[in-house]
Amino acid sequence: MTKFIHSIYFSPTKTTQRVLQYIAKGIGNQEVREIDLTKKIEGTIAIENSIAVIGIPVYSGRIPVEATNELKKLRGIVSKAVLVAVYGNRHYDDALLELKDITEEQGFKIIAAAAFIGEHSFSSDKYPIAANRPDKDDLLKAEEFGRHIKDLLDSGREANFDVPGNRPYKDLPQYPAVAPVTDEEKCNKCGVCVDVCPTDAISLNGKITTDAVACIKCCACVKECPSQARYNDNDFFKNAGAKLHEMCSERKEPEYFFAN
């Protein structure tokens, strides 16, 4: 077995990061090196003679463009990869296939993949969508998946395998130029929203301002705000949240895919 586990993720709300932590725990007995792609990284990162667990959230059935740009800075050199797509209880559509295509192009040998469920970015108290997931059961399954990966690595078994999805991929969504807003009375100017925004769309210069064009609708600023000053006050978020709540209330479970 390789010496290190590289846990590589794009995870604005830390949901994907948490799933990967439990997968790495299941693999066990190795040093884990985390690589956070949520903020832009400089240059390229070589992953050599290692096992990489690579996790990305699903946005409307695709890999977010910002994550794709960062994934293409990775170089897999005699390294194996486990792929994880985390989606908000609707479906992951072409995202896992797209992630497999990208990572193979970057030189990784893919040995397994999985789709896990995380709380949807648009989930709210009024319209919960996979609220509080990954939950305890999800994380136990992530750890179990990691143990399967360990067995696979110990066996040395390698083979090509398929994951669900279609080529060409579904079209990327065309979101309106809207973003969460700030309740100035609640805001204490702590700057957490600025720090967690993956596209640097939020700035603090006496007051919080948001570039709605740059916003990718991850809602990390809403979920991470310690004073609950960030919120979604736009028909786009409200209507999408209500529709997803109605259509995606039935609990879905993780799916695993392995080399034969």
Side-chain angles (χ1 to χ4, degrees):
M1 187 181 291
T2 54
K3 185 177 180 181
F4 301 112
I5 301 171
H6 285 89
S7 180
I8 304 170
Y9 50 83
F10 184 91
S11 187
T13 62
K14 300 182 174 60
T15 303
T16 301
Q17 178 186 11
R18 194 171 183 215
V19 172
L20 264 59
Q21 287 172 339
Y22 275 79
I23 294 173
K25 182 180 178 182
I27 298 173
N29 298 323
Q30 292 170 278
E31 179 183 341
V32 179
R33 296 180 174 179
E34 293 195 0
I35 299 175
D36 188 355
L37 304 179
T38 313
K39 290 284 191 174
K40 292 180 180 179
I41 58 176
E42 298 296 329
T44 60
I45 298 178
I47 309 297
E48 190 169 358
N49 295 309
S50 183
I51 173 72
V53 184
I54 304 174
I56 304 293
V58 178
Y59 289 3
S60 298
R62 291 285 305 275
I63 300 299
V65 171
E66 293 75 13
T68 296
N69 293 339
E70 299 308 301
L71 286 168
K72 290 184 177 180
K73 297 175 183 178
L74 302 175
R75 298 291 182 269
I77 303 170
V78 196
S79 286
K80 300 174 183 178
V82 176
L83 308 180
V84 181
V86 179
Y87 69 102
N89 207 53
R90 186 191 65 79
H91 204 279
Y92 51 93
D93 295 324
D94 301 331
L96 199 54
L97 177 62
E98 184 179 12
L99 180 58
K100 186 171 184 285
D101 289 344
I102 293 169
T103 49
E104 285 181 334
E105 288 175 3
Q106 301 311 114
F108 291 94
K109 172 67 178 178
I110 315 304
I111 62 168
F116 278 83
I117 297 83
E119 181 174 309
H120 198 284
S121 296
F122 297 171
S123 180
S124 64
D125 291 341
K126 185 176 182 179
Y127 298 118
I129 311 158
N132 301 314
R133 296 188 72 181
D135 56 21
K136 182 178 179 180
D137 188 56
D138 292 318
L139 297 175
L140 286 173
K141 289 181 178 179
E143 190 171 349
E144 178 186 41
F145 178 61
R147 289 194 291 271
H148 287 309
I149 299 304
K150 181 181 184 303
D151 292 342
L152 189 61
L153 290 168
D154 288 344
S155 73
R157 189 170 74 249
E158 293 183 13
N160 293 326
F161 70 105
D162 296 323
V163 297
N166 297 290
R167 301 186 189 94
Y169 314 131
K170 65 183 295 187
D171 291 338
L172 286 165
Q174 298 298 312
Y175 291 131
V178 296
V181 297
T182 303
D183 183 333
E184 296 294 342
E185 292 185 359
K186 290 183 178 180
C187 180
N188 61 13
K189 312 298 189 294
C190 67
V192 168
C193 58
V194 177
D195 293 338
V196 300
C197 180
T199 60
D200 298 321
I202 306 172
S203 58
L204 173 57
N205 295 298
K207 64 178 292 186
I208 295 292
T209 57
T210 306
D211 180 351
V213 174
C215 175
I216 62 171
K217 322 298 186 264
C218 70
C219 297
C221 59
V222 175
K223 297 180 184 297
E224 295 294 325
C225 178
S227 58
Q228 298 182 316
R230 293 284 287 184
Y231 65 103
N232 292 318
D233 187 29
N234 182 279
D235 286 344
F236 166 75
F237 290 110
K238 293 176 181 178
N239 294 339
K243 183 177 180 180
L244 288 165
H245 170 74
E246 179 182 357
M247 296 177 57
C248 307
S249 58
E250 183 178 351
R251 181 184 176 94
K252 294 186 177 179
E253 298 296 337
E255 298 178 51
Y256 308 148
F257 308 92
F258 295 99
N260 298 317

